[in-house]
Amino acid sequence: MALIHSPFPSWKCPIEEITRIWLTHIPSFHTNLTKVPPDHNIQLVLSGQYRLRINDYEYQVTAGSMIYYHKGEDVHWLENDEPVSFYSFVFKGSLIAPLPLQKRIVVANLEMATEFQNVFEASLGFFGYLNHLQVYSGLLRILKEMNFYFLEE
């Protein structure tokens, strides 16, 4: 019998805990200044567009944008001319390094948009082990895809 050993001595999930999952609808002409919760936050904009400033770095956000925020950052939502809807997932992950400010927004492909929807829908159901696995595995796929795009730029 032959054994093939992985080169990694142990495996650890980078997501330690998912603390919030929600769908938000923002009316037209919204503006605010806030701080990111004490965790990582990713969002997928479903509809609308707006300007956003994170720590003095400004972005144009449109439908299909995946956005990453790091804990404690100053976020200034600049006025939007139309309603905006987005999914937002907040999670703990002490091994996940914050992304550079110039790489915080990535355009989602159809697969990633579907993954956001699947994670959100799984979070609404009875939170048994299958939904639990769907939420965590979906969020891990989203993180992988976001990193993939950042590495390709």
Side-chain angles (χ1 to χ4, degrees), residues 58-72:
E58 196 165 308
Y59 306 90
Q60 181 64 40
V61 179
T62 59
S65 294
M66 292 191 297
I67 309 166
Y68 169 80
Y69 304 94
H70 188 60
K71 62 184 175 183

Side-chain angles (χ1 to χ4, degrees), residues 71-120:
K71 62 184 175 183
E73 292 180 320
D74 292 324
V75 177
H76 190 181
W77 177 301
L78 305 171
E79 187 173 287
N80 52 301
D81 294 335
E82 58 188 289
V84 175
S85 295
F86 57 89
Y87 291 122
S88 189
F89 305 154
V90 180
F91 57 96
K92 294 180 186 301
S94 61
L95 299 177
I96 300 171
L99 299 171
L101 284 171
Q102 67 274 19
K103 297 186 178 195
R104 294 293 181 89
I105 296 184
V106 175
V107 176
N109 59 29
L110 181 59
E111 182 182 352
M112 284 302 98
T114 301
E115 199 65 64
F116 269 88
Q117 180 180 354
N118 290 343
V119 168
F120 178 72

Side-chain angles (χ1 to χ4, degrees), residues 7-106:
F8 300 99
S10 65
W11 296 85
K12 189 173 189 178
C13 182
I15 300 171
E16 297 156 5
E17 181 181 358
I18 299 171
T19 57
R20 296 182 204 156
I21 297 176
W22 68 92
L23 173 60
T24 301
H25 302 288
I26 303 291
S28 300
F29 310 110
H30 174 79
T31 185
N32 78 335
L33 177 61
T34 188
K35 279 212 179 280
V36 176
D39 299 317
H40 297 278
N41 185 338
I42 60 171
Q43 296 178 346
L44 172 67
V45 178
L46 301 172
S47 63
Q49 60 182 353
Y50 60 98
R51 286 183 309 119
L52 176 71
R53 187 178 305 128
I54 303 173
N55 294 339
D56 298 323
Y57 200 93
E58 196 165 308
Y59 306 90
Q60 181 64 40
V61 179
T62 59
S65 294
M66 292 191 297
I67 309 166
Y68 169 80
Y69 304 94
H70 188 60
K71 62 184 175 183
E73 292 180 320
D74 292 324
V75 177
H76 190 181
W77 177 301
L78 305 171
E79 187 173 287
N80 52 301
D81 294 335
E82 58 188 289
V84 175
S85 295
F86 57 89
Y87 291 122
S88 189
F89 305 154
V90 180
F91 57 96
K92 294 180 186 301
S94 61
L95 299 177
I96 300 171
L99 299 171
L101 284 171
Q102 67 274 19
K103 297 186 178 195
R104 294 293 181 89
I105 296 184
V106 175

